[in-house]
Amino acid sequence: MANQVATATATAAGPTPTTLTRSETLYLGALSFACIALLFRTLEGEGEPLVASLALSGLAFAATFASIRWLGPAFIKAGFKGRDLSKVNNSHYLPECMGAVCAVVYLLTIIVFIPFPFYKDIVVATSGGGNRDVVMNVEFVEKGRLLHKFPHSKLASFLSAIISLQSITLLGIGDDLFDIRWRHKFFIPAFASIPLLVVYFVDFGVTSVVLPTFLQPWVGRELFDLGIFYYLYMAALCIFSPNSINILAGINGIEVTQSIVIASLLALNDAMYLFTPYPHPATDSHLFSLFFLCPFLGVSFALLYHNAYPAKVFVGDTYCYFAGMVFVVVSILGHFSKTLILLLIPQIFNFLYSVPQIFGLIPCPRHRLPHFNARTGKMEPSVTVWKDVKQPHPLIARALRLLAQFKLLSLKESADGQIEETSNFTILNLWLFWRGPMREDQLTTEITIMQTAVGLFGLFVRYRLALLIFREDNLSINSAV
């Protein structure tokens, strides 16, 4: 769905720019110079990995912004192109699969960042603070210059995250190349999650969950071990998160904006643990999360500049898989997967709402994106026409009428009671049914506001309402724990 052979509103943006303007060159150059200076400044101290991550994120933004401009013609020449059919005057092609550029820049940024979170450990692990020629005590030499103190498990988690993200990027590019059908590509993220789950098993291995206080007297314990079912839960999350971003797609900017909102809320969640009395038990886990989220936000904002209405490029399936896997990586290795679920409530609703069409209970067109009315220049709910196919099963027809009665579906019937058409089952079409036809940029804005509001409410549930059924919260645990 994120391929968007067609998407948008009103008048198309015109041919995609292929060079940077003078002002853009100056701004990106100044940003890059400031980030490089900040990066070298961190090396004069103790590494300061979070500052280094922010500096590299700025460089990632500049690199992604410029690369999208420069590589656009090459993508079109290679066949990665499409028209924005939800606009008038859309005869020119726009480059597709530009999310692959973001993913590659992001991966290179994360790889360059590897030494920074381990800077102090690398210095300690070498004699004389980095001078390998200093004479050392025998006990240190036998232990390999204090290498036994190096946090190998932390490095393993970092590398497993990179391998999973590399895998999902390759699989996403394969999907953009061969346009794999939904029934085949649904489980693609499961393969990319294997390195992640293996390292979690070896390094952490916790499969217990805290029971709500009202269940503890019945079960007789506070913790309940799910065993292998916990890994099945994490595997399901690995499958769902990337696909959920890919399902909520079809209009300019929607894939990127929802990803930026989710990443920003996750970063906000992480930041709350930086202001607790150190050492807080969860601080390192949330710092790990920020190291991956900051560069992601950098490359995503650069992509959004080009994909926002009116779109100059299309993101492709690669970005959707890549973004969803970033969220999975930080939530599993950061040990806050339930928080991620609260931030994915709109995506969960969209998936559940789409189930009848995804699993073939109702005819599902190749693309279910909203319909563009060229006369009004506004988006309208796209529909499934039943008069050209057999009528739905009586039970399904009854369910469709029930959904229409509760204003969850647009349904049109003939005079003799035959169902003629129903709106497609996506949250975008449902929103248009509720709010009426609107411009594409307005639709993207309203969905983004809804995603933000629901996400903030999810964090409120996580840190306030959850205390109604749990004794304590991770954020309230002090350093003495």
Side-chain angles (χ1 to χ4, degrees), residues 460-478:
F460 175 75
V461 170
R462 170 70 178 81
Y463 290 106
R464 288 294 179 263
L465 297 186
L467 293 176
L468 298 176
I469 58 174
F470 293 102
R471 285 197 179 95
E472 58 188 9
D473 177 74
N474 286 347
L475 192 59
S476 64
I477 299 177
N478 57 39

Side-chain angles (χ1 to χ4, degrees), residues 63-337:
T64 303
F65 192 102
S67 297
I68 289 175
R69 288 288 181 87
W70 297 333
L71 295 176
F75 274 62
I76 293 177
K77 186 176 181 180
F80 292 101
K81 59 184 179 180
R83 291 191 178 97
D84 204 342
L85 298 184
S86 294
K87 291 185 176 69
V88 296
N89 302 326
N90 58 357
S91 58
H92 57 275
Y93 286 104
L94 301 179
E96 289 184 351
C97 195
M98 299 309 289
V101 176
C102 291
V104 170
V105 173
Y106 175 85
L107 288 170
L108 292 175
T109 302
I110 291 295
I111 291 172
V112 171
F113 176 70
I114 289 177
F116 289 92
F118 306 101
Y119 181 78
K120 289 193 294 184
D121 300 296
I122 293 173
V123 172
V124 171
T126 57
S127 63
N131 183 359
R132 297 175 182 269
D133 297 326
V134 172
V135 177
M136 301 187 62
N137 294 330
V138 174
E139 60 269 24
F140 291 162
V141 175
E142 290 176 350
K143 292 181 179 179
R145 298 190 305 276
L146 300 181
L147 288 176
H148 63 293
K149 293 186 177 181
F150 188 86
H152 294 94
S153 60
K154 183 178 177 181
L155 178 60
S157 298
F158 205 94
L159 295 179
S160 71
I162 293 176
I163 293 173
S164 291
L165 292 169
Q166 286 178 330
S167 300
I168 200 66
T169 299
L170 290 174
L171 293 170
I173 292 174
D175 184 20
D176 281 324
L177 278 171
F178 303 110
D179 199 15
I180 305 172
R181 296 187 65 83
W182 264 104
R183 67 173 64 97
H184 300 137
K185 68 182 181 181
F186 187 78
F187 295 98
I188 281 179
F191 297 100
S193 69
I194 292 176
L196 198 67
L197 299 181
V198 168
V199 170
Y200 182 89
F201 173 78
V202 173
D203 179 40
F204 197 66
V206 174
T207 57
S208 298
V209 295
V210 179
L211 294 175
T213 51
F214 64 85
L215 287 180
Q216 292 176 14
W218 297 91
V219 181
R221 65 185 72 175
E222 184 177 359
L223 297 177
F224 185 78
D225 188 9
L226 295 177
I228 191 174
F229 293 103
Y230 194 83
Y231 289 95
L232 294 177
Y233 151 72
M234 289 192 293
L237 185 62
C238 292
I239 293 172
F240 174 77
S241 180
N243 281 296
S244 69
I245 305 297
N246 201 24
I247 294 174
L248 210 172
I251 58 176
N252 289 173
I254 192 64
E255 300 94 332
V256 188
T257 53
Q258 64 178 305
S259 299
I260 287 176
V261 168
I262 295 170
S264 299
L265 292 173
L266 287 174
L268 174 63
N269 176 65
D270 293 328
M272 288 191 288
Y273 288 83
L274 303 184
F275 301 101
T276 56
Y278 191 84
H280 189 282
T283 298
D284 285 342
S285 297
H286 288 276
L287 270 175
F288 176 92
S289 172
L290 282 173
F291 295 157
F292 281 85
L293 289 174
C294 291
F296 174 77
L297 287 170
V299 299
S300 294
F301 276 114
L303 179 61
L304 178 61
Y305 181 88
H306 296 87
N307 183 240
Y309 174 90
K312 305 175 188 66
V313 302
F314 295 138
V315 301
D317 290 330
T318 303
Y319 178 82
C320 300
Y321 288 134
F322 152 69
M325 187 55 70
V326 169
F327 305 148
V328 169
V329 163
V330 299
S331 65
I332 289 181
L333 296 181
H335 314 304
F336 53 88
S337 58

